[in-house]
Amino acid sequence: MTDFSFSVCMSVYKNDNADDFLVAVRSIYNQSKKPNDIVLVVDGPIGESLHNAVNTLKDEISILNVIWLPENMGHAIARQTGLDAAKNELIAIMDSDDISVYDRFERQIAAFEQHPEVTVIGGLINEFIGETSNIVGTRIVPEHDDEIKEYMRSRCPMNLVTVMMRKSHIQKVGGYIDWYCEEDYYLWIRLALAGYRFYNIQDNLVDVRTGKGMYQRRGGWRYFKSEASLQFYMFKNGVIGFARYIYNVLIRFAVQVMMPNRLRGWVFKTFARS
């Protein structure tokens, strides 16, 4: 691969904060290595403040391509819409309220140059509340492909908001497919089953806003059923054995169904974060 031009894909919807959204988009444009294509999918109707923010960004950033969906379609369809519209083979993912560090893309392109066999390159995230200096956790994920695939047997091995990936490989395994709150994990599993390779830079690439609502979203019957079904998919496809499948489901039932939000938050911060 000799062309290291890249696109950035992100989506925004009605419940996003307009000020945070502006910061997020500016963080992917004002980089040490700039994209030449930014695809923004507006996932359904949005309010006046977000409309104004989108218009402001269109005036500021000439490479911004805005796609308006008439109704809210959810993460999978919004992300796939952006992926389909991206002009380049390399595509970075970004969320609408996080902040990419200044040299994120420069480091990822350098990693692709060093690891041309890799399909997806991600990194670590710092989670913060209020100000980026108020870090409440760091999600550490393994570096090398074999470690990542071993980690995948128990947890999602990539921080989605940090990834840069090869569009053609993603399309070959079906792209983003709806799976409640698990579209990214499902995608990594399908890529692994198809023999594609992963790499994680061992440094923070994105500052991620967090709060109590994050742990509420990671609990309840619907979330548990989605995760349990994904574990069964891995078992059925030989990623994990029966004992690991039962263990993974039981752990998720205990954390996602039985625990109150406060205790669930402590478990995530203690065992899934540094």
Side-chain angles (χ1 to χ4, degrees):
M1 181 176 181
T2 57
D3 182 8
F4 288 98
S5 300
F6 65 98
S7 302
V8 183
C9 295
M10 62 188 302
S11 63
V12 65
Y13 85 123
K14 65 181 180 179
N15 289 346
D16 286 326
N17 178 279
D19 292 332
D20 295 343
F21 167 63
L22 286 168
V23 171
V25 177
R26 287 166 178 157
S27 80
I28 59 171
Y29 184 65
N30 298 316
Q31 285 272 318
S32 60
K33 186 171 183 64
K34 292 182 182 291
N36 67 358
D37 176 44
I38 300 175
V39 182
L40 172 66
V41 178
V42 182
D43 189 12
I46 55 176
E48 182 180 0
S49 61
L50 277 173
H51 259 292
N52 292 339
V54 172
N55 289 333
T56 295
L57 291 167
K58 287 171 67 177
D59 291 339
E60 287 181 13
I61 303 174
S62 61
I63 61 170
L64 183 65
N65 174 22
V66 182
I67 300 172
W68 301 82
L69 299 182
E71 57 185 275
N72 180 254
M73 304 300 293
H75 280 141
I77 291 177
R79 291 201 191 280
Q80 186 60 39
T81 300
L83 191 78
D84 289 337
K87 297 177 180 178
N88 298 301
E89 168 67 358
L90 285 182
I91 297 173
I93 299 295
M94 182 63 180
D95 268 2
S96 57
D97 57 354
D98 300 328
I99 304 170
S100 286
V101 301
Y102 175 67
D103 62 348
R104 170 190 168 182
F105 300 144
E106 180 180 354
R107 298 186 67 176
Q108 289 183 288
I109 293 299
F112 269 112
E113 291 179 309
Q114 294 169 6
H115 303 281
E117 78 284 359
V118 168
T119 290
V120 184
I121 292 179
L124 313 187
I125 58 172
N126 282 342
E127 296 172 333
F128 71 96
I129 296 176
E131 301 294 329
T132 54
S133 58
N134 183 28
I135 298 171
V136 296
T138 298
R139 184 166 192 262
I140 298 172
V141 284
E143 181 175 8
H144 297 291
D145 183 68
D146 56 345
E147 301 166 329
I148 289 168
K149 286 172 179 171
E150 176 60 29
Y151 192 91
M152 185 183 294
R153 298 174 70 243
S154 57
R155 284 183 266 176
C156 184
M158 309 296 291
N159 290 315
L160 175 65
V161 297
T162 71
V163 303
M164 183 179 284
M165 52 197 186
R166 299 183 191 272
K167 176 177 178 177
S168 61
H169 296 182
I170 305 306
Q171 301 284 44
K172 283 179 182 177
V173 299
Y176 277 97
I177 298 173
D178 185 46
W179 196 303
Y180 178 71
C181 289
E182 299 292 341
E183 293 90 356
D184 55 329
Y185 198 173
Y186 183 35
L187 176 57
W188 312 144
I189 294 166
R190 286 182 285 123
L191 285 169
L193 287 169
Y196 293 114
R197 299 177 65 84
F198 304 83
Y199 182 78
N200 277 314
I201 295 168
Q202 294 298 289
D203 203 357
N204 176 51
L205 297 184
V206 179
D207 295 321
V208 174
R209 296 180 194 275
T210 189
K212 294 180 180 179
M214 179 179 71
Y215 304 119
Q216 292 174 342
R217 291 191 297 271
R218 293 182 180 179
W221 275 104
R222 187 180 181 190
Y223 189 86
F224 166 72
K225 289 178 180 178
S226 177
E227 285 231 354
S229 296
L230 194 62
Q231 295 301 315
F232 183 73
Y233 177 85
M234 286 200 289
F235 167 62
K236 184 176 66 174
N237 285 278
V239 178
I240 56 176
F242 183 71
R244 168 63 71 174
Y245 163 64
I246 294 298
Y247 176 81
N248 286 352
V249 170
L250 288 176
I251 288 293
R252 282 161 171 77
F253 180 78
V255 174
Q256 296 163 3
V257 177
M258 301 300 292
M259 285 185 184
N261 288 332
R262 181 175 296 181
L263 181 56
R264 184 184 305 120
W266 178 83
V267 168
F268 269 106
K269 286 187 284 187
T270 303
F271 296 103
R273 304 291 189 271
S274 67

